[in-house]
Amino acid sequence: MDYQFKDIEKKWQQFWADHQTFKADNLSPKPKYYVMDMFPYPSGAGLHVGHPLGYIASDIFARYKRLKGFNVLHPMGYDSFGLPAEQYAIQTGQHPAITTEDNIATYRRQLDQIGFSFDWSREVRTSSPDYYKWTQWIFMELFNSWYNKAADKAEAITTLAEHFEKHGSKGINAASDEEVLTFTADDWKAFTSEEQQKELLKYRLTYLRESTVNWCAALGTVLANDEVKDGFSERGGYPVEQKKMMQWSMRITAYAERLLQGLDTIDWPEPLKEMQRNWIGKSVGASVKFGLTPTLSSGEGANSTKDSSSLSSGEGWGEAYIEVFTTRVDTIFGVTFVVLAPEHELVSQLTTPEQKATVEAYIAQTKKKSELDRMADTKTVSGAFTGSYVLNPLNGEKIQLWIADYVLAGYGTGAVMAVPSGDQRDYLFAKHYNLPIVPIMDIQNIEVEADPTKEGKYINSDFINGLEYKEATAAVIAKLEEVGAGKARVNFRMRDAIFGRQRYWGEPVPVYFKDNLPHLISESELPLLLPEVDKYLPTESGEPPLARAADWHYTLSSGAGQGEAFSYELSTMPGWAGSSWYWYRYMDAHNETEFASKEAIEYWKDVDLYIGGSEHATGHLLYSRFWNKFLKDIGKVVEEEPFKKLINQGMIQGRSNFVYRLVDEEGRPTNTYVSHGLKDQYKTTPLHVDVNIVTNEILDLDKFKKWRTEYETAEFILENGKYICGVEVEKMSKSKFNVVNPDDIIERYGADTLRMYEMFLGPLEQSKPWNTNGIEGVFKFLRKFWRLFHNDQWEFTVANEAPTKAELKALHKIIRKVEEDIERFSFNTSVSSFMIAVNELTDLKCNKRAILQDMVVILSSYAPHICEELWVQLGNPAGTLSYAAYPKFNPEYLIEDDFAYPISINGKTKMNLNIPLSLDVKDTEAFVLANADVQRYLDGKAPKKVIVVKGRIVNMVV
RNA sequence: GCUCAGAUGGUGGAACUGGUAGACACGCAGGACUUAAAAUCCUGUUCCCGUUAAAGGAGUGCGGGUUCGAUUCCCGCUCUGAGUACCA
């Protein structure tokens, strides 16, 4: 029979499902291999042809690894909490769980059609209670932990409480809030239980505190930094403003250094690592305290962070100071002013009465500027003098204190020491306000701009004069430490991640409030189920949707306060909560007593290959690494990094087609459409046309007329009897009529063709537009492959004779090629090689079992359905192909007796010459020179030089 | 501005450590089969000049360099895409 892909594919998909062919075993003597895809959010639109690209690549890899003898874990699930289902619920009143369920069904149907070798018995859904029970459990573990910097790991919060009990706050080096108390053991014991809890909260790895958040009014929720792009929400593009709110946060900054270091140990694309490094933003420098002047302290408006009374002590600096962060502490003698962010908390106190009006006007002006304006307008210099002065801690020099919006409140200490000779922003500021600029390097050129050089020797710099950069930095830091005015410090740009969302469709936070303090519910009460609500909107008083849940309160089953009803936390967890640990759930998806068993985790360990898009660089991929490190610290998992190797598949863009509608003199649209090549001779407007009625840019006129009623009577101006459409690459979207659905492709060509064509399109990592033109080539290839096994009457016919040398050569070439290609994720080149191999075997009229059976195994990772069918027809038991052995490459079959050397003169190839490979370099040269054609090219002259690279090339210089 | 990735026929792309540029496929042109069409098969297809065939020249974004030899390595530039942005 001819190649009937529909019957074949249906049959084998059914077989795999019925026999659970791809179920992975948690106990196996085989080496493990874990191949995972970024699980999808099941949107209402279903899959388009771009979505499965990465899944196909990972599936080929997973199937290949099975053939190579690995026990492969290749699971799939759904990231099913999220905003779109909730937005839909708000509009229609439909419960998000129902839409989510429907969407998952669509996704599953579409995925099944493509023939993936997923182990569906391990499917996870983040919105399912038996899954989010464990997300809540991890949250509780984080709440119960603090980060001990001395041990460089997370520890149980009880160890911190014990330390406070014994030693007070002394000797604790922890990741914590900024304002923690200093107290003795006796102080601690004297604290009320609430006071103790309040203090512990400042150390917990997930904590509640008043913080400035990205508030998106249109979405009614806060957003994490990575969910905000240029002042607008990443989803929906709504404006985002800064707002102070009581919020749950994750103390990811505790792990900043480990997150940075870990990047060097994993095999990820360099650009992606770079993005994470930038996001973490480590800078090494020093913090320096600029003391407030005593003159000021006795005057109006003086105050300090600690204790203003000590200012009169005459120390000059000491208790009252401005702290700055700098990466160039060596330039401290070039400081000519200090600048605070306008939002700095000490600004109002440090403004003198004379400057009050100016400063307040400036603050009002900067407040008006939106975040966007402030970013866009980096050229204009603006600021205001506070009237106050600070003292340089190393030479006591009196320095003006300014405010300016080029200093950001959220970075470092919100204050900078300005060195106009070395920093361009400080330079412009100094020029604009006529502040002094002092050179500090002998070779510095500061005539037109700042010169940040580290070369040369210091001048105007007190005790470091004449020194070089390295020794000067060390000397300054030593001196600062000696006088107690500063120390070496590392600063990170990364902030703690906001962990609450004022939304409905997310994991409830397992916390209730008693005396205004958060408490965990008991572990036995997990999962804390998402309650039913009448509407999915915030309440009239602005509380999150969960406040609408009737009768939703926490009651203590025992102890103090028993029977009393406490209110639950009303915000839910953000979208990234469920995706920050899901690879562990796949290891042991149905465990009811743990998130995954110890045995399962110790067997599977980590993800060997993770494939997904680069858009998750600073979100999911960073949070996942953070949670993984935490779980490692508390002894629940074994690897420091969760994803050993990661590959970003490129985005599949849309390829839009256009028709050109003629417009008349007055600019009114007509009913006539001009072909692309002639459109410049007319006045036209381009209109998107459905790419599914266009083939090789030629418009199907009948389909076009039927497409929409307005085109029913359309007329055309054709070129060469055809209507040619215009082309443009855009995002794939419904409104551009360029969406290609995999279902349609499978209907016409089958899943095997789709799989191979998606790979054939180009390198996996590269972004490229989808173009269905060309899919015929892959389809023809599969038919040609099928034909190798069949005679002219389409009867299955294979011969048992021994293969010829040529046949073995064709086979072993492809055995090696595909192996090499898959190992380096170059799937597109494999497809070409398969075509070459089948073309060769077709030319050789090869139908020998010894060749074809191995071909079936090699091709089966790419085109599994057709191969299963042929495998069985070859007489093998059904279902054994997936676990067959990849054929062994034998280099002997590729050994050649001679080689057609390209003979070139001065690097230009002139001819080819067959020369036995048994000849050595010298004999080869003689062989070439003896050739009559070569002599003709040389025109009788002897070449100056002859280069012979054995088995590659002969080059003659004349 | 900074960082990264990329630029090869009409199109998607190949050429792995410097060694025959354009594999493989699409498209296009011509042919076979057919009453015809579809399907299938065969031949050609980087460009220029020339043409029965040949022979010749140019050629991997642009300009230089290293080398017997460069799509590949080095320097400078242009363009495209992505990320990031007053980070002290």
Side-chain angles (χ1 to χ4, degrees):
Chain A
M1 235 201 319
D2 196 356
Y3 171 42
Q4 301 288 337
F5 61 84
K6 272 188 199 169
D7 300 339
I8 293 172
E9 292 182 358
K10 216 193 219 153
K11 171 177 161 191
W12 288 104
Q13 284 163 11
Q14 194 60 49
F15 181 93
W16 295 329
D18 290 347
H19 294 81
Q20 300 209 53
T21 307
F22 306 111
K23 198 166 168 8
D25 204 329
N26 276 6
L27 280 172
S28 166
K30 294 183 196 173
K32 71 102 185 180
Y33 202 91
Y34 190 170
V35 186
M36 189 171 84
D37 297 282
M38 288 188 185
F39 63 169
Y41 173 80
S43 84
L47 292 174
H48 69 59
V49 100
H51 293 119
L53 181 75
Y55 304 159
I56 293 169
S58 66
D59 195 61
I60 289 168
F61 204 83
R63 286 176 179 273
Y64 168 78
K65 279 287 175 183
R66 281 191 204 99
L67 298 176
K68 280 285 188 179
F70 287 84
N71 183 30
V72 173
L73 176 54
H74 185 41
M76 184 46 85
Y78 306 96
D79 190 13
S80 47
F81 270 134
L83 282 181
E86 183 162 354
Q87 293 298 83
Y88 188 75
I90 290 169
Q91 286 158 26
T92 62
Q94 173 102 271
H95 196 289
I98 296 168
T99 26
T100 302
E101 187 78 27
D102 289 350
N103 293 348
I104 287 177
T106 305
Y107 266 63
R108 178 63 191 273
R109 183 186 58 75
Q110 290 188 294
L111 292 171
D112 280 348
Q113 276 191 44
I114 303 173
F116 293 120
S117 64
F118 293 130
D119 177 356
W120 282 108
S121 73
R122 295 168 185 262
E123 180 199 295
V124 302
R125 300 178 183 191
T126 55
S127 63
S128 141
D130 52 3
Y131 182 89
Y132 71 67
K133 170 179 178 176
W134 299 106
T135 310
Q136 292 171 333
W137 176 84
I138 294 170
F139 176 92
M140 300 200 347
E141 291 292 316
L142 283 156
F143 186 85
N144 281 329
S145 303
W146 66 293
Y147 199 86
N148 186 347
K149 284 190 186 170
D152 208 15
K153 61 183 287 219
E155 289 179 4
I157 197 80
T158 48
T159 63
L160 183 66
E162 276 163 27
H163 183 101
F164 287 163
E165 183 97 26
K166 281 189 198 139
H167 314 288
S169 58
K170 209 174 158 207
I172 285 294
N173 185 6
S176 67
D177 289 6
E178 275 149 47
E179 310 89 28
V180 291
L181 301 177
T182 307
F183 50 83
T184 64
D186 288 337
D187 292 341
W188 177 258
K189 284 173 208 150
F191 285 171
T192 63
S193 151
E194 280 101 77
E195 283 168 332
Q196 289 184 346
Q197 285 307 315
K198 221 170 145 184
E199 193 59 21
L200 287 175
L201 191 55
K202 296 177 188 169
Y203 293 84
R204 296 178 188 276
L205 287 182
T206 181
Y207 61 96
L208 197 58
R209 82 166 166 198
E210 169 112 310
S211 42
T212 311
V213 298
N214 304 302
W215 173 257
C216 180
L219 293 173
T221 187
V222 306
L223 299 170
N225 288 342
D226 65 276
E227 293 168 317
V228 182
K229 290 252 139 57
D230 301 329
F232 292 92
S233 64
E234 199 179 27
R235 274 181 190 255
Y238 303 108
V240 174
E241 55 182 309
Q242 304 296 305
K243 193 175 165 184
K244 286 228 169 205
M245 271 180 91
M246 207 51 153
Q247 276 300 327
W248 284 101
S249 286
M250 285 283 162
R251 213 178 293 283
I252 187 172
T253 50
Y255 285 87
E257 187 63 42
R258 277 166 68 187
L259 288 168
L260 189 65
Q261 296 307 325
L263 289 173
D264 296 333
T265 68
I266 48 184
D267 184 4
W268 288 19
E270 203 45 51
L272 197 106
K273 289 198 203 178
E274 202 54 33
M275 272 192 250
Q276 291 212 344
R277 285 193 193 103
N278 289 338
W279 189 262
I280 294 165
K282 179 180 180 177
S283 36
V284 179
S287 66
V288 182
K289 295 171 182 175
F290 284 76
L292 294 161
T293 59
T295 45
L296 179 76
S297 67
S298 55
E300 181 95 21
N303 221 320
S304 77
T305 47
K306 301 283 174 189
D307 179 12
S308 62
S309 63
S310 68
L311 277 167
S312 53
S313 69
E315 276 280 321
W317 60 90
E319 295 295 313
Y321 53 82
I322 299 292
E323 187 169 24
V324 305
F325 173 73
T326 178
T327 51
R328 287 297 301 276
V329 73
D330 57 300
T331 64
I332 191 157
F333 294 105
V335 175
T336 56
F337 54 99
V338 165
V339 191
L340 302 181
E343 300 87 349
H344 197 281
E345 50 181 355
L346 294 180
V347 169
S348 64
Q349 298 167 60
L350 291 173
T351 304
T352 59
E354 307 84 67
Q355 290 298 107
K356 202 170 171 203
T358 319
V359 166
E360 280 177 1
Y362 182 69
I363 291 173
Q365 182 202 318
T366 53
K367 265 202 185 136
K368 248 193 296 180
K369 271 205 253 176
S370 72
E371 193 81 357
L372 254 184
D373 296 338
R374 226 169 125 166
M375 282 196 293
D377 180 24
T378 59
K379 296 261 145 53
T380 330
V381 175
S382 72
F385 179 44
T386 61
S388 292
Y389 293 82
V390 292
L391 296 173
N392 187 319
L394 294 188
N395 61 8
E397 203 174 304
K398 199 170 147 191
I399 298 167
Q400 291 192 2
L401 181 67
W402 285 67
I403 64 169
D405 66 2
Y406 82 85
V407 176
L408 306 174
Y411 183 74
T413 58
V416 304
M417 56 178 227
V419 185
S421 59
D423 182 288
Q424 185 58 17
R425 290 154 307 171
D426 297 345
Y427 186 90
L428 290 174
F429 197 82
K431 281 274 180 209
H432 191 259
Y433 289 107
N434 249 324
L435 294 159
I437 301 174
V438 180
I440 45 158
M441 286 286 188
D442 55 357
I443 59 152
Q444 215 168 15
N445 176 5
I446 54 169
E447 258 159 54
V448 287
E449 58 182 2
D451 180 359
T453 183
K454 291 175 183 171
E455 308 298 313
K457 297 200 159 65
Y458 291 83
I459 53 168
N460 300 326
S461 292
D462 205 300
F463 62 91
I464 57 167
N465 277 336
L467 297 187
E468 284 181 2
Y469 174 73
K470 256 194 151 160
E471 34 188 13
T473 302
V476 170
I477 289 175
K479 187 79 181 170
L480 285 169
E481 280 174 358
E482 187 190 321
V483 301
K487 58 180 178 211
R489 189 180 140 178
V490 174
N491 197 49
F492 291 96
R493 195 175 69 160
M494 183 167 65
R495 303 284 76 152
D496 279 345
I498 304 287
F499 196 69
R501 297 290 182 272
Q502 287 61 51
R503 302 288 298 199
Y504 176 75
W505 192 230
E507 300 87 347
V509 177
V511 159
Y512 67 94
F513 286 89
K514 185 177 159 192
D515 305 321
N516 260 333
L517 278 172
H519 293 270
L520 295 179
I521 67 172
S522 106
E523 206 177 306
S524 61
E525 292 162 308
L526 292 178
L528 173 59
L529 293 173
L530 194 56
E532 295 298 317
V533 293
D534 58 342
K535 273 198 263 184
Y536 303 98
L537 288 168
T539 64
E540 279 66 31
S541 57
E543 283 189 296
L546 289 192
R548 293 177 177 275
D551 243 6
W552 196 54
H553 295 290
Y554 184 71
T555 29
L556 278 179
S557 48
S558 64
Q562 187 179 357
E564 209 180 319
F566 299 104
S567 75
Y568 279 118
E569 168 62 49
L570 296 178
S571 59
T572 51
M573 297 189 198
W576 54 269
S579 59
S580 295
W581 69 279
Y582 73 112
W583 62 96
Y584 286 117
R585 192 60 180 170
Y586 284 141
M587 294 177 185
D588 192 10
H590 305 289
N591 196 318
E592 287 177 11
T593 56
E594 291 167 286
F595 72 99
S597 73
K598 207 170 155 57
E599 298 75 54
I601 291 169
E602 278 173 359
Y603 179 72
W604 293 110
K605 290 189 174 73
D606 55 7
V607 178
D608 294 283
L609 174 66
Y610 194 19
I611 296 188
S614 60
E615 64 272 21
H616 298 107
T618 51
H620 161 63
L621 289 172
L622 201 57
Y623 298 131
S624 294
R625 295 181 59 222
F626 160 41
W627 279 28
N628 191 81
K629 285 173 193 298
F630 168 70
L631 291 170
K632 166 109 192 298
D633 284 353
I634 63 170
K636 298 291 180 188
V637 307
V638 293
E639 292 291 332
E640 177 80 11
E641 290 287 343
F643 315 127
K644 231 186 275 175
K645 179 166 182 71
L646 185 134
I647 297 214
N648 289 131
Q649 90 273 22
M651 241 221 310
I652 297 271
Q653 295 142 318
R655 195 172 176 283
S656 306
N657 279 120
F658 293 89
V659 292
Y660 301 89
R661 171 148 59 184
L662 194 67
V663 289
D664 65 14
E665 301 290 307
E666 281 82 43
R668 284 177 307 222
T670 67
N671 203 23
T672 304
Y673 299 86
V674 186
S675 185
H676 178 258
L678 305 171
K679 74 176 165 53
D680 293 340
Q681 299 164 28
Y682 302 87
K683 215 169 133 195
T684 57
T685 46
L687 296 170
H688 278 97
V689 61
D690 189 345
V691 293
N692 294 298
I693 60 172
V694 178
T695 313
N696 287 319
E697 307 350 320
I698 299 163
L699 181 68
D700 186 321
L701 301 181
D702 290 333
K703 282 185 185 161
F704 180 70
K705 287 181 179 172
K706 281 181 206 141
W707 183 37
R708 295 171 139 201
T709 47
E710 59 173 308
Y711 300 137
E712 225 173 317
T713 56
E715 288 172 24
F716 304 94
I717 299 176
L718 306 176
E719 48 185 318
N720 305 326
K722 290 168 187 163
Y723 189 98
I724 311 291
C725 295
V727 184
E728 220 171 286
V729 173
E730 301 178 291
K731 218 182 127 130
M732 202 176 268
S733 97
K734 266 188 188 166
S735 64
K736 297 186 167 73
F737 302 108
N738 60 8
V739 175
V740 182
N741 190 319
D743 299 6
D744 298 340
I745 303 281
I746 289 169
E747 171 68 24
R748 261 189 87 185
Y749 300 103
D752 284 337
T753 298
L754 174 76
R755 289 168 63 105
M756 291 198 86
Y757 186 60
E758 293 234 4
M759 293 299 104
F760 189 59
L761 227 39
L764 180 62
E765 294 97 325
Q766 200 170 297
S767 286
K768 56 231 155 194
W770 176 270
N771 187 350
T772 308
N773 301 345
I775 197 169
E776 295 276 354
V778 170
F779 185 60
K780 275 193 231 165
F781 155 76
L782 286 174
R783 296 189 57 175
K784 215 166 166 183
F785 182 62
W786 180 262
R787 208 170 304 134
L788 284 176
F789 298 76
H790 295 82
N791 64 17
D792 293 344
Q793 282 73 52
W794 291 112
E795 291 158 345
F796 186 85
T797 320
V798 292
N800 288 318
E801 302 158 45
T804 65
K805 217 183 153 196
E807 289 164 343
L808 283 166
K809 188 180 168 190
L811 174 68
H812 282 262
K813 260 191 340 200
I814 189 88
I815 292 173
R816 181 177 60 180
K817 177 77 173 138
V818 170
E819 195 167 330
E820 283 172 357
D821 284 349
I822 294 182
E823 302 278 358
R824 65 188 170 112
F825 307 95
S826 174
F827 302 103
N828 56 323
T829 49
S830 285
V831 179
S832 305
S833 307
F834 279 126
M835 290 174 172
I836 294 168
V838 167
N839 287 346
E840 283 172 355
L841 292 175
T842 302
D843 290 345
L844 292 167
K845 300 196 176 8
C846 171
N847 71 336
K848 296 182 185 141
R849 175 184 304 275
I851 300 293
L852 297 185
Q853 173 136 325
D854 280 352
M855 284 295 293
V856 165
V857 178
I858 305 165
L859 184 64
S860 67
S861 340
Y862 287 78
H865 308 88
I866 188 174
C867 290
E868 285 273 17
E869 183 66 23
L870 292 169
W871 180 253
V872 169
Q873 292 203 29
L874 282 165
N876 300 290
T880 54
L881 175 59
S882 300
Y883 296 93
Y886 190 86
K888 205 163 158 15
F889 170 64
N890 185 346
E892 276 169 36
Y893 295 119
L894 301 194
I895 292 171
E896 296 279 350
D897 295 336
D898 46 29
F899 173 70
Y901 278 87
I903 309 299
S904 55
I905 294 175
N906 292 337
K908 292 268 173 211
T909 308
K910 296 291 176 186
M911 57 180 284
N912 281 12
L913 189 59
N914 259 335
I915 305 173
L917 284 163
S918 54
L919 297 187
D920 63 12
V921 169
K922 232 178 106 195
D923 292 342
T924 306
E925 185 179 329
F927 190 100
V928 170
L929 291 174
N931 184 275
D933 289 325
V934 173
Q935 282 306 320
R936 189 168 55 80
Y937 278 110
L938 287 170
D939 213 11
K941 286 171 246 161
K944 279 188 204 147
K945 195 175 173 188
V946 180
I947 294 113
V948 177
V949 182
K950 204 176 168 202
R952 285 217 182 260
I953 200 166
V954 176
N955 189 22
M956 283 172 288
V957 187
V958 294

